[in-house]
Amino acid sequence: MNSNTPLAERMNSFQYGLFMNLSDQEFRLPNGIARLIHADEQGNCWLLFHTNLQDAGAFEKQFPARIRLYEKGKDYYIEAGGTAVIQTSPDEWAACPAISYGMAKALRYHGLIVCLKLNQVTVTSTQRNHFLQSFYNWMEQTADWFVGEPSRKRAMGTHVFSS
């Protein structure tokens, strides 16, 4: 994706994220992996947890939280923070366009929906500095030329396996 891609589209390109509950309460939604259902343009991010809806009564309803969206092979990752709200009723789930009627019926028995209202989002590139990588390659090739042959195996950039 290029740098002009909307934030919601970038966020929706991920499937899972590491969710961190920043509350200091004793009974709170535990940290863990959450499935990203949908992120919209208004800064709402709906997450699915594999926790029973009955257990949600013990947790606080609204709390500060963060999420980190990362997938191997993508050239960026996203860290976001805001206020998380546990949603327990089908009326609250209706605000998410990605939750269908069938999914809402299943959520009554399995799964917990949390809406993270984002107030801070950071998109970080994971690409290495191209100039620096080119310079290191040139230095390695120059050293190999002086020695006469490659004296060591390359540490990075070698093809290992393909299917």
Side-chain angles (χ1 to χ4, degrees):
M1 292 189 175
N2 62 25
S3 62
N4 296 330
T5 305
L7 182 60
E9 187 176 326
R10 282 183 183 239
M11 290 184 77
N12 285 323
S13 70
F14 292 94
Q15 293 183 2
Y16 294 95
L18 178 61
F19 179 82
M20 295 160 276
N21 186 336
L22 303 177
S23 173
D24 59 356
Q25 298 295 318
E26 184 176 348
F27 295 107
R28 62 185 185 147
L29 183 66
N31 297 342
I33 304 296
R35 182 176 177 267
L36 178 68
I37 297 175
H38 183 71
D40 64 11
E41 297 292 334
Q42 288 77 31
N44 297 315
C45 183
W46 284 274
L47 306 167
L48 173 65
F49 290 86
H50 294 289
T51 310
N52 289 336
L53 189 59
Q54 292 79 18
D55 296 339
F59 305 139
E60 59 183 322
K61 178 99 170 141
Q62 189 171 348
F63 51 91
R66 293 187 57 78
I67 190 163
R68 181 175 179 160
L69 303 170
Y70 173 81
E71 281 183 18
K72 188 175 181 179
K74 288 199 186 261
D75 57 351
Y76 61 93
Y77 66 91
I78 299 174
E79 290 181 312
T83 303
V85 179
I86 295 177
Q87 299 185 337
T88 55
S89 72
D91 295 334
E92 294 172 322
W93 301 333
C96 178
I99 297 178
S100 65
Y101 176 75
M103 185 176 180
K105 283 178 62 175
L107 286 173
R108 290 182 186 218
Y109 306 105
H110 305 289
L112 179 66
I113 299 292
V114 173
C115 180
L116 182 61
K117 297 176 191 296
L118 306 175
N119 61 14
Q120 176 189 4
V121 179
T122 305
V123 179
T124 306
S125 175
T126 57
Q127 292 181 340
R128 297 180 184 261
N129 186 340
H130 182 67
F131 173 76
L132 193 57
Q133 187 66 35
S134 299
F135 177 72
Y136 287 141
N137 287 341
W138 177 79
M139 290 290 289
E140 186 174 295
Q141 290 171 357
T142 304
D144 290 344
W145 179 74
F146 279 123
V147 173
E149 64 182 60
S151 60
R152 62 193 177 283
K153 292 184 179 179
R154 296 182 113 156
M156 297 175 11
T158 58
H159 180 71
V160 178
F161 177 76
S162 64
S163 58

